Structure formats: structure tokens, C-alpha cells
Amino acid sequence: MANYKRVLVAVDLTDDSDQVLQRAVDIAERNGAALHIIHVIEIISFAYGGDVPMDLTSLQEQIDKHANERMKAKAEALNYPVEETLVATGNTEEEIHQHADKIGADLIVIGSHGRHGLALVLGSTSNGVLHGAKCDILAVHLKEQG
Ligand code: AMP
């Protein structure tokens, strides 16, 4: 069984994130690993092809502020010390890969809805992260919240 030392958990900051975070905490706890949490904000103008005829700065700032607040609340609710929280901006898969490389993560934990994307097995983000990752990936099957 692998002995993980640095676990990077990727969260979309929805309620589903709690299932992903809990699994990451369980693994970090068992391994005595450092726990890093990342959330990525996609840049709005990029999402629309970089050609939006209006200033989106203040909207982007509000999104950043909201994400940072949610991230802080989620990290504080964990019963495990968090080494780092990061709210990054850019392409989700790329940012997760880059940060995993930067911190030398040996495990990335990510949620998987399994209801869209590749063959009902992995969600789109988890599929993208799996491809090109240089370390182990754990895709946590997300149960529908009632
Ligand atoms: P999805 O592609 O929406 O099915 O998301 C699957 C999983 O990818 C989520 O449970 C998170 O672990 C991760 N994820 C999705 N969006 C983001 C994001 N913006 N930042 C970090 N992780 C994300």
C-alpha cells in the first residue's frame, strides 16, 4: 500500500466537496500526510473566447472573494490540519496539474459524478485531471445528496 506524504484535493466548493474533502482527510490522517486544497476559478472572459465587450473586473473580484470565503470555511470545518489552501485562476485541469507538480503531490483526490462525460465513469474534470497526471489519482464517487 502506497504511503502518501502530500495529498492535493481539488474542490469545486459545492456541497459535493465535503465528500471529497472527507475522503482526502481520511487518507491524509492514515498516512500522516500534508493536506493541500485547491479550487480553480475559470476566467470569465476566457470562457467566452476572450472577446467580451464589457469590463468584467468587478464580477471577477466578487467571484474570487466568494471562493476565498467558501474555501476558508471548508478548510476550517475539517478535523485535520490543512497545510495550504489555494484559490487559483485559469484552466482547472492545468492548474491542478501544475500545483500538484509544484508541491510534489503524490496523490490527487477529486470528485467524480459518474453521470456525464466519459462512459459514465468519470466526470469531465476528473477525466481531464487523470490524463497527464504524474501521480496517483483517487476519483471519489459522489453520492447524490438527498
Ligand atoms: P465535475 O467535472 O463537475 O464532475 O467535477 C468533478 C470534480 O472535479 C469535483 O468534485 C472536484 O473534485 C473537481 N473540480 C471541478 N471543478 C473544479 C474547480 N473549479 N476547481 C477545483 N476542482 C474542481
Side-chain angles (χ1 to χ4, degrees), residues 10-12 20 38-40 92 96 110-111 113 116 123-125 142:
V11 290
D12 58 13
V20 184
I38 184 170
H39 172 71
V40 184
T92 303
I96 293 171
I110 195 156
H113 288 107
H116 62 84
S124 52
T125 308
L142 296 171

Side-chain angles (χ1 to χ4, degrees), residues 55-137:
D55 184 6
L56 296 170
T57 315
S58 106
L59 179 60
Q60 193 78 55
E61 276 169 13
Q62 282 179 50
I63 293 171
D64 289 2
K65 184 169 175 276
H66 183 68
N68 276 291
E69 285 167 6
R70 299 238 346 142
M71 173 67 104
K72 189 165 176 267
K74 296 237 174 256
E76 281 175 3
L78 299 178
N79 52 354
Y80 193 79
V82 176
E83 177 92 6
E84 176 200 31
T85 57
L86 175 67
V87 176
T89 306
N91 171 270
T92 303
E93 287 88 354
E94 273 173 32
E95 292 299 319
I96 293 171
H97 283 151
Q98 269 176 28
H99 199 62
D101 288 352
K102 184 176 168 200
I103 64 170
D106 41 22
L107 177 70
I108 298 172
V109 181
I110 195 156
S112 171
H113 288 107
R115 60 169 183 249
H116 62 84
L118 189 80
L120 301 177
V121 179
L122 296 168
S124 52
T125 308
S126 36
N127 183 38
V129 171
L130 179 62
H131 293 282
K134 296 186 193 129
C135 66
D136 289 2
I137 307 280

